[in-house]
Amino acid sequence: EVQLLESGGGLVQPGGSLRLSCAGSGFIFSNYALTWVRQAPGKGLEWVSTIHGSGGDTYYGDSVRGRFTISRDDSQSTLFLQMNTLRAEDTAMYFCAKAVVGADALFETWGQGTLVTVSS
Amino acid sequence: DTQMTQSPSSLSASVGDRVTITCRANHGISNWLAWYQQKPGQAPKSLIYAAFNLQSGVPSRFSGSRYGADFTLTISSLQPEDAATYYCQQYNNYPIAFGQGTRLEIK
């Protein structure tokens, strides 16, 4: 069974940093593009960042570019999101999502999410 | 950037009704459009990909279509378990964009 499990969320002060992880299982991790999508409380889905397979190209939304860094460790089947200079508006549930082969931003499988709260 | 405009933002319908949700892209996206269903407290679930194709395991009452620039998600006969928020998403190019969501309530 294909599974994604996020971790690393929590409460952080404005200006602080946090590193999210997403552990994958049940598939050949290196073959797939992976993405972070977030959802602020009571709001819609917002694409954050995508990394192509085998540590390839990376893409970022305007609201996080320059502050967040996506990376992956295929040997550990783990996706990361390093979040720096956090703002109140970064408060959200962060989901990782696995793409399908041939469509790097079509999300076939999602994790259950990890909650990030930015507040003093 | 490609932006997705989804309508309506909410709707209420009865069991057995036919329901349609629409999404429009401000730039051409070919048929690289997906629909997701999200229930409260859960992760989104993929319903339709490439505008028309049903994901495995999704009930056949769900369907996707396209009329020019408008993409539609149709539920042919609404069931109680269809109460959820539905999102469209373009995956033609970066930045990836979701529609604003449609909250579907069962009367």
Side-chain angles (χ1 to χ4, degrees):
Chain A
E1 181 188 5
V2 174
Q3 288 190 328
L4 298 169
L5 183 61
E6 302 94 335
S7 60
L11 175 64
V12 60
Q13 292 188 339
S17 297
L18 210 56
R19 189 193 199 201
L20 305 184
S21 300
C22 171
S25 60
F27 62 101
I28 302 173
F29 194 83
S30 60
N31 285 359
Y32 295 89
L34 297 162
T35 292
W36 289 98
V37 174
R38 69 184 181 183
Q39 186 169 37
K43 302 298 183 182
L45 302 173
E46 180 188 9
W47 171 74
V48 173
S49 182
T50 294
I51 184 167
H52 285 180
S54 298
D57 294 340
T58 59
Y59 304 86
Y60 297 92
D62 287 345
S63 61
V64 306
R65 186 178 296 111
R67 299 188 299 124
F68 290 11
T69 302
I70 192 170
S71 62
R72 61 193 295 162
D73 182 344
D74 290 340
S75 69
Q76 298 294 318
S77 297
T78 304
L79 172 72
F80 302 102
L81 186 68
Q82 177 67 43
M83 304 187 295
N84 298 331
T85 320
L86 282 161
R87 307 166 179 165
E89 53 266 34
D90 295 318
T91 293
M93 183 72 78
Y94 284 73
F95 298 98
C96 64
K98 167 187 167 292
V100 304
V101 173
D104 291 333
L106 174 60
F107 309 130
E108 176 182 54
T109 304
W110 298 67
Q112 286 305 302
T114 187
L115 182 62
V116 172
T117 303
V118 183
S119 174
S120 55
Chain B
D1 294 356
T2 302
Q3 297 177 357
M4 307 303 296
T5 302
Q6 187 174 338
S7 62
S9 57
S10 65
L11 75 145
S12 181
S14 300
V15 173
D17 282 354
R18 181 183 181 89
V19 168
T20 298
I21 298 168
T22 299
C23 208
R24 175 176 289 191
N26 67 340
H27 297 299
I29 59 169
S30 187
N31 290 326
W32 303 123
L33 183 107
W35 290 96
Y36 300 90
Q37 176 193 65
Q38 187 181 33
K39 297 182 178 180
Q42 297 184 17
K45 172 188 173 184
S46 178
L47 295 177
I48 287 171
Y49 64 97
F52 311 105
N53 299 282
L54 213 59
Q55 284 283 6
S56 175
V58 174
S60 59
R61 63 181 180 273
F62 290 90
S63 65
S65 57
R66 176 182 178 179
Y67 301 95
D70 290 340
F71 296 85
T72 62
L73 172 70
T74 298
I75 308 173
S76 60
S77 179
L78 193 64
Q79 298 301 304
E81 60 267 31
D82 299 335
T85 301
Y86 293 83
Y87 296 92
C88 63
Q89 177 228 335
Q90 72 83 13
Y91 55 102
N92 180 64
N93 53 20
Y94 293 97
I96 303 307
F98 290 91
Q100 301 93 324
T102 297
R103 184 178 176 185
L104 174 56
E105 175 192 86
I106 311 297
K107 287 180 183 174

